[in-house]
Amino acid sequence: MGCSSSLPDRSSRRLSGLGNPESNGVPDAKNLRVKLVLLGDSGVGKSCIVLRFVRGQFDPTSKVTIGASFLSQTIALQDSTTVKFEIWDTAGQERYAALAPLYYRGAAVAVIVYDITSPESFNKAQYWVKELQKHGSPDIVLALVGNKADLHENREVPVQDGMDYAEKNGMFFIETSAKTADNINQLFEEIGKRLPRTPPS
Amino acid sequence: MSMSATSSSSSGDGPEPNSETLENQFESVTIEESNRIVQKDEATEEPQLESSFNGSLDDNGNHEEFDVLEERIEVGSDARGIGDSGGGVVWGTNSELEVDGPSSPSSSGYAGERGSSSATSASRIGEVSEDEIQEVGNDGDVDRILDSQVAWVPGKRHVDEDDASISWRKRKKHFFILSHSGKPIYSRYGDEHKLAGFSATLQAIISFVENGGDRVKLVRAGKHQVVFLVKGPIYLVCISCTEEPYESLRGQLELIYSQMILILTKSVNRCFEKNPKFDMTPLLGGTDVVFSSLIHSFSWNPATFLHAYTCLPLAYATRQAAGAILQDVADSGVLFAILMSKHKVVSLVGAQKASLHPDDMLLLSNFIMSSESFRTSESFSPICLPRYNPVAFLYAYVHYLDVDTYLMLLTTSSDAFYHLKDCRIRIEMVLLKSNVLSEVQRSMLDGGMRVEDLPGDPLPRSGIASHLGQHKLPTDSPERYREPYSGIGGPAGLWHFIYRSIYLDQYVSSEFSAPISSPQQQKRLYRAYQKVYASMHDKGNGPHKTQFRRDENYVLLCWVTPDFELYAAFDPLADKALAIKTCNRVCQWVKDVENEIFLLGASPFSW
Ligand SMILES: Nc1nc2c(ncn2[C@@H]2O[C@H](COP(=O)(O)OP(=O)(O)OP(=O)(O)O)[C@@H](O)[C@H]2O)c(=O)[nH]1
Ligand SMILES: [Mg+2]
């Protein structure tokens, strides 16, 4: 486990006023703070991934996200830097699609999730990649995640397809299972390693 | 029992209701009738009763005014004519709904909305509680027993049903939303997509009538009422054999429509301008649970017909402390700050000139409580308050402070999240420090007013320190269970009451206790209140009204003044004079504890 225990929000430095801590620039290069957004079709498991990562839990009852949820989690990397992820877990429901810019604006990382048993969700993931390439921050770190890897007997999106698409678009790729916790921490550690170490000026 | 009395009266120029009690109006009645139970002689024997109650007593058990009501609607909308002449359509629909036959347990159980591991938590028994098909078999009693034990389970049921299933046709109350081109949008039971044919039939009826220049509102077909509501390109339909008054069902359709507007805003209409055949169902993805929970609340939440909200009972100072910190954040650019525990308000403030309608509060809290994801973490979501502005989204920051208590901060600014998060942290700190949260939790456990605790002394008492004027005994004290009325309601056979303050837009409802303890009994009582409410608010009645109604289930007494409305339910054998006296005591009691049960002053409604 590469995760340090979660720091409760309240113990962190308070952000005051309307100031929006969207800039990844933190004074200390050893203690990064990044805004991360999860995008993808409804039901692919975005919330389950986040709750597995932040709380170590998996709740199989589906709780469709409304608008977006905000959670944070800090991890320590091998090189003794810490990364505090401020995570926007967005709603995949169609009616919220137009709001996505609200949540990905200024994000340093976007995690685009699909369900390996659903080709439609893979298509939707490609839609999000294109949208972020057009409208996201220029230096945004993109990750493509094929979730529900535990359901391999129902797999409809071959690993190779995900890998190829990610490579073509300069993305980091991983298959995960929020249910079994497989690759969940690895996903966030790998993202942490790929973050630019010097805050953009 | 076949005794039944219905009467109502208006006396427009009544004195201040607070200065004259209900009892005074009936003073002589009270004295002379104190030992009387039988109602049928009263009208003739007591001229005072005549003058106050306008003496149209109905002794034969019929609720005359409801028949009149039906006629008015049907004639008004010419629906009877349609029902008869267009029989091919309307009655055909009806005969399908009335198909008899053995109950078919065709439902294979609740299926989650989606996902590989869909929720199977709702058992078959769970479904029975909302099945409402008890009349089908002879095992109604069994169902009822199950009903009373099983809590309502959220979510859509019977998705495998369609209009060909007998079980679907047997449901007592259907709700549909469809587009003007006949595309299904929502159905309470069954899968919308499988109901395309049925939707088209409904659409045909509505447009048939509309083309004739009429707005069809109600079609009566045997036991069934079909109520229609047309909202631009969106049609809403209720098919019910619950015998609820037309006004109630229509009000429920209005709420369902508003719930949809809360999720999408009225600008969804534009989709239909571009494409009349537009399929709206994807836009409402994942919201079945919001609608089913609203529909469920029609049978337990009086806010759905009173158009008022209710507060969690709290010491005045405690609510003030909560209000002060909310006011603080409202001054920093928050439009509305609302703190609630379940469906009860702890405190709320609005920015200057912003007013929040009780229906919007109902729909907002229903939306939040029924959407499980709000419980997992802090959320930021667009929502629309239909009564505030039906065409624009507001942004809601939502955070649960404990299992039941949640804070909602509403703003017009889409990027206010971090500010609202800061506000929440400040609010939470103050609430914790000033013990508001623990008081809230305690009040949730203690509950509200209990008819058993109705003070015997009608004079206002001073120096009440205990919760709601009760002289509380420790919970573990055996005395608690030896109260004189426990198990049989309150004094004079008082079982339950609802008091609604007109100026405050708030109501208070007593806790349910034996003999009205099962959800079925509670639902039946609410339906009875609803009926009385509809008849009291029937246009053409004066502002000052009373009604006394006795049937085999209850005595219902209601009193509507320009300041407040009181609805009280008594034992069916209750003495009328005593009941009237008891209602006065209830009003006095409410006044004595109004500091604790209502949110006073600083109400955004008064601006
Ligand atoms: N087998 C399996 N099921 C999963 C996994 N992750 C999520 N699920 C299931 O998929 C369903 C949807 O998961 P959510 O996390 O709510 O999906 P979401 O992407 O957040 O959906 P929206 O909030 O609507 O956008 C849930 O019922 C989970 O039980 C997984 O790794 N394996
Ligand atoms: Mg989600």
Side-chain angles (χ1 to χ4, degrees), chain A residues 119-134:
Chain A
E120 303 87 73
S121 75
F122 187 53
N123 286 338
K124 195 61 179 277
Q126 300 176 20
Y127 160 86
W128 283 119
V129 172
K130 284 179 202 124
E131 163 129 359
L132 284 163
Q133 285 168 343
K134 255 194 260 165

Side-chain angles (χ1 to χ4, degrees), chain A residues 46-48 63-65 89-92, chain B residues 114:
Chain A
K46 298 180 295 298
S47 300
C48 288
K63 292 172 180 168
V64 58
T65 303
D89 169 25
T90 66
Chain B
R114 49 111 215 260

Side-chain angles (χ1 to χ4, degrees), chain B residues 440-478:
Chain B
V440 164
Q441 286 154 6
R442 209 179 56 155
S443 178
M444 287 299 281
L445 288 175
D446 286 351
M449 300 172 92
R450 287 186 178 80
V451 290
E452 296 87 351
D453 298 329
L454 178 64
D457 173 13
L459 296 172
R461 294 171 304 163
S462 52
I464 296 163
S466 57
H467 179 72
L468 297 177
Q470 303 157 18
H471 298 288
K472 261 236 161 94
L473 295 156
T475 335
D476 52 354
S477 157

Side-chain angles (χ1 to χ4, degrees), chain A residues 40-51 58-66 89-93 113 115 147-151 176-181 184, chain B residues 114-119 373:
Chain A
D41 221 351
S42 182
V44 297
K46 298 180 295 298
S47 300
C48 288
I49 290 174
V50 175
L51 289 175
F58 177 76
D59 178 353
T61 61
S62 63
K63 292 172 180 168
V64 58
T65 303
I66 308 292
D89 169 25
T90 66
Q93 286 292 342
V113 186
D115 171 350
N147 189 42
K148 307 199 188 179
D150 57 293
L151 300 177
T176 59
S177 167
K179 188 176 178 180
T180 64
I184 298 291
Chain B
R114 49 111 215 260
S116 48
S117 39
S118 54
S373 81

